């Protein structure tokens, strides 16, 4: 298994059922890192002279930002994955290649995920936002709160109700591939080969100057900018290949539940265990018909096989997601102090705490574990049925939806407490 990993997937008609685009991602991070699920409402920013502080650097603010729901490592400003009120979803992956990773603090890939969601109402506009920011501010900085040196370039899977884009980067250089049907996945490697729909204007010349491409043979982005034999990508051992096989196995019948099964798959390594593990998961349903709402499911906890996928739908006046929000600190967060990472505070949110307690039961008490997992699946199935009813009937009980994710989280916590209290 790769030491650091994530996997992001998209399935579009005709690979899916009922004209829906299905997006999914596992965020695989250091095993003790807490990931929170947080909501930020749409906002108007009148003071454009002020700057926006991302994880490490400040950038120019924009006049308006969209409402977003994010799954993010609790110490970061940015996010591993998330969605906005317009049905745009983004997930990112760590990638390495021939271009050296810059040690200087700049925008993290996770900052770019959040910025793309806050500033774009379509997938392609999100791509524009990310590449413009990449050109202006660059990417770089430590991606671990543990203080270990851990930096990388990024690839992104960006989807909306109509299409998806793969965006892969090497420093400031990038290539993008448009996906309009079928299935596509990304993992911790460059995967765009010769189908390049958009690119950095100097990408090919730079590769030529570096001696990576002779300017004669057909240009292959992944082969040129990394060390991958792209002819073997879909048959070589590894999570990219395993994800590709799982998507194609279900092609034509993919539902949101299928995507969750893929994210829960342990033999493939997609549901990761060990020093790096799956710390949070996300699945989104993006109906192509805009009369239907987009529905976004998040776990907010490690190991999707032992977690509940809880639905979130954008409506006005969403209540804050307190049970999946990590503590804030009265004094300045240690990440914002220089030098960084001298201390590591307790960032466990209420759901995470109860979930981890429940894992001890699962590992030690077989009968209790069985009952608890059955109750978790029962809760999940009821939620799936309810969401499917919304998608079939186009009817939203807004008063209920306002608290949907929060109530589901409370129900999950109740299951854990019932099984850990004695």
């Amino acid at each position: 298994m790769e030491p650091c990993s994530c996997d992001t997937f998209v399935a579009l008609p005709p690979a899916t059922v009922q004209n829906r685009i299905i997006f999914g991602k596992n965020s695989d991070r250091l095993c003790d890192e807490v990931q929170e699920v947080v909501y930020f409402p749409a906002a108007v920013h009148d003071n454009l002279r002020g700057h926006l502080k991302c994880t490490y650097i400040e950038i120019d603010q924009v006049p308006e930002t969209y409402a977003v729901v994010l799954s993010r490592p609790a110490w970061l400003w940015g996010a591993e994955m998330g969605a906005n009120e317009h049905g745009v979803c983004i997930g990112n992956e760590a990638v390495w290649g021939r271009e050296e990773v810059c040690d200087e603090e700049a925008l993290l890939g996770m900052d770019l995920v959040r910025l793309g969601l806050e500033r774009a109402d379509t997938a392609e506009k999100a791509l524009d936002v990310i590449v413009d920011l990449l050109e202006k501010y660059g990417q770089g900085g430590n991606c671990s709160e543990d203080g270990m040196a851990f930096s990388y370039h990024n690839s992104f899977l960006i989807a909306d109700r109509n299409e998806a884009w793969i965006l892969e980067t090497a420093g400031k250089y990038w290539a993008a591939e448009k996906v309009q049907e079928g299935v596509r996945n990304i993992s911790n490697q460059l995967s765009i080969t010769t189908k390049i729909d958009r690119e950095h204007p100097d990408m090919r010349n730079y590769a030529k100057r570096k001696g990576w491409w002779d300017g004669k043979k057909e240009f292959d982005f992944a082969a040129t900018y990394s060390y991958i034999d792209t002819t073997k990508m879909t048959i070589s051992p590894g999570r990219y290949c395993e994800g590709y096989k799982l998507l194609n196995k279900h092609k034509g019948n993919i539902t949101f539940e299928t995507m969750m099964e893929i994210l829960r798959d342990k033999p493939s390594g997609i549901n990761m265990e060990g020093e790096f593990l799956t710390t949070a998961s996300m699945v989104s349903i993006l109906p192509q018909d805009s009369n239907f709402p987009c529905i976004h499911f998040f776990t907010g906890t490690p190991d999707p096989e032992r977690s509940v996928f809880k639905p979130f739908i954008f409506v006005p006046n969403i209540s804050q997601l307190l049970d999946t929000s990590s503590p804030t600190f009265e004094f300045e967060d240690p990440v914002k102090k220089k030098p960084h990472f001298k201390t590591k505070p307790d960032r466990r949110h209420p759901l995470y705490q109860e979930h981890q307690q429940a894992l001890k039961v699962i590992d030690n008490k077989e009968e209790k574990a069985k009952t608890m997992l059955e109750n978790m699946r029962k809760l999940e199935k009821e939620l799936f049925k309810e969401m499917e009813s919304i998608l079939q009937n186009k009817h939203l009980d807004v008063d209920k939806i306002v608290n949907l994710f929060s109530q589901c989280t409370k129900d999950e916590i109740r299951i854990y407490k019932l099984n850990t209290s004695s």
Side-chain angles (χ1 to χ4, degrees), residues 17 82 85 103 146 167 211 229 246 268 296 298 313 376:
V17 298
E85 61 183 295
D103 289 333
D146 276 11
L167 169 62
D229 181 349
L246 284 168
S268 64
H296 312 283
F298 296 93
I313 300 173
M376 289 164 67

Side-chain angles (χ1 to χ4, degrees), residues 22 35 62 231 259 383:
I22 308 293
Q35 196 149 150
V62 291
T231 61
M259 190 64 79
L383 291 171

Side-chain angles (χ1 to χ4, degrees), residues 297-314:
F297 294 88
F298 296 93
T299 61
T301 50
D303 189 349
E305 191 179 27
R306 298 177 173 185
S307 298
V308 174
F309 279 94
K310 299 167 288 295
F312 176 99
I313 300 173
F314 284 94

Side-chain angles (χ1 to χ4, degrees), residues 173-176 196-205 219:
Y173 301 99
W174 57 272
I196 300 171
D197 295 297
R198 292 185 54 185
E199 64 188 73
H200 185 285
D202 197 37
M203 178 194 71
R204 296 179 195 234
N205 285 333
F219 188 84

